[in-house]
Amino acid sequence: KQEVTQIPAALSVPEGENLVLNCSFTDSAIYNLQWFRQDPGKGLTSLLLIQSSQREQTSGRLNASLDKSSGRSTLYIAASQPGDSATYLCAVNTGGFKTIFGAGTRLFVKA
Amino acid sequence: EAGVVQSPRYKIIEKKQPVAFWCNPISGHNTLYWYLQNLGQGPELLIRYENEEAVDDSQLPKDRFSAERLKGVDSTLKIQPAELGDSAVYLCASSLEAGSGGTDTQYFGPGTRLTVL
């Protein structure tokens, strides 16, 4: 059974700091991995999608990497801003319409 | 292009009362999902529709939960009667799934936050 774990559960950093969020999964047989952002009281916004054949994806100040063999992904946020404060969720698609989510990392960026 | 629309955004009811949530997916998306998200947790799938057919409802508590997707477009999720433990956010998502084997990106609505008193 696929399990997705995110560490840390919560993180508080000063503005401008570079940071890394971690995601691990137990079964390397995945089709893709996606990072989402969730603001309080709102739905999920897709940030980056990495196909199983890819190693990383970049969008602006965000970079996500995937090491399928070790069951790990990281989301790197450069030069963090207060507007980055949100919960970041990692989700793995195991095919067959199955998407397993982690519990998320709650990020707070202090001005 | 409009995103996934959900209503209401918030709902407060007393236990044992019925409640219904509505979702309108992105136009042209064949697959519709209902997820349950408890506080501090990731979403968990309740039911998935392919057009108007419920093809995965294994996680749906069928004694009190029901769902429908008439005409294969918008969908309604109902709880009757609601219990205290049903307090959570109910998320709807949709994906195109044009023969991709269930690997297309899912697009999420804003969710309905249910509070059962």
Side-chain angles (χ1 to χ4, degrees), chain A residues 34-39 42-48, chain B residues 108:
Chain A
Q34 198 163 2
W35 283 93
F36 291 89
R37 169 182 173 141
Q38 186 172 32
D39 292 284
K42 297 190 177 181
L44 280 63
T45 301
S46 178
L47 297 173
L48 290 164
Chain B
F108 284 79

Side-chain angles (χ1 to χ4, degrees), chain A residues 17-74:
Chain A
E17 189 165 301
N18 301 325
L19 58 99
V20 174
L21 307 182
N22 296 292
C23 172
S24 62
F25 46 96
T26 55
D27 188 342
S28 62
I30 66 171
Y31 278 86
N32 58 54
L33 182 145
Q34 198 163 2
W35 283 93
F36 291 89
R37 169 182 173 141
Q38 186 172 32
D39 292 284
K42 297 190 177 181
L44 280 63
T45 301
S46 178
L47 297 173
L48 290 164
L49 173 71
I50 312 176
Q51 300 293 348
S52 62
S53 59
Q54 297 175 323
R55 297 284 293 185
E56 65 177 345
Q57 282 286 332
T58 298
S59 176
R61 294 182 294 109
L62 305 179
N63 175 277
S65 68
L66 174 64
D67 183 343
K68 202 172 69 166
S69 61
S70 67
R72 294 180 181 180
S73 176
T74 61

Side-chain angles (χ1 to χ4, degrees), chain B residues 9-99:
Chain B
R9 293 294 313 280
Y10 305 92
K11 189 73 176 180
I12 301 174
I13 61 172
E14 294 188 349
K15 63 181 181 182
K16 301 185 180 180
Q17 294 299 307
V19 64
F21 315 125
W22 178 80
C23 171
N24 187 261
I26 292 174
S27 178
H29 279 196
N30 301 317
T31 304
L32 184 147
Y33 309 75
W34 281 103
Y35 286 91
L36 166 69
Q37 186 178 24
N38 287 306
L39 186 65
Q41 300 295 319
E44 297 178 355
L45 181 69
L46 287 172
I47 188 169
R48 171 172 63 90
Y49 280 91
E50 290 292 324
N51 299 306
E52 68 275 8
E53 182 180 0
V55 294
D56 184 356
D57 63 356
S58 57
Q59 302 302 314
L60 189 73
K62 298 180 182 64
D63 56 336
R64 297 183 301 107
F65 286 65
S66 65
E68 60 182 14
R69 191 185 184 195
L70 301 176
K71 302 181 181 179
V73 180
D74 55 353
S75 176
T76 303
L77 178 68
K78 299 178 181 178
I79 308 175
Q80 182 172 10
E83 298 179 351
L84 295 177
D86 296 332
S87 295
V89 175
Y90 292 83
L91 293 164
C92 179
S94 69
S95 61
L96 184 60
E97 304 298 355

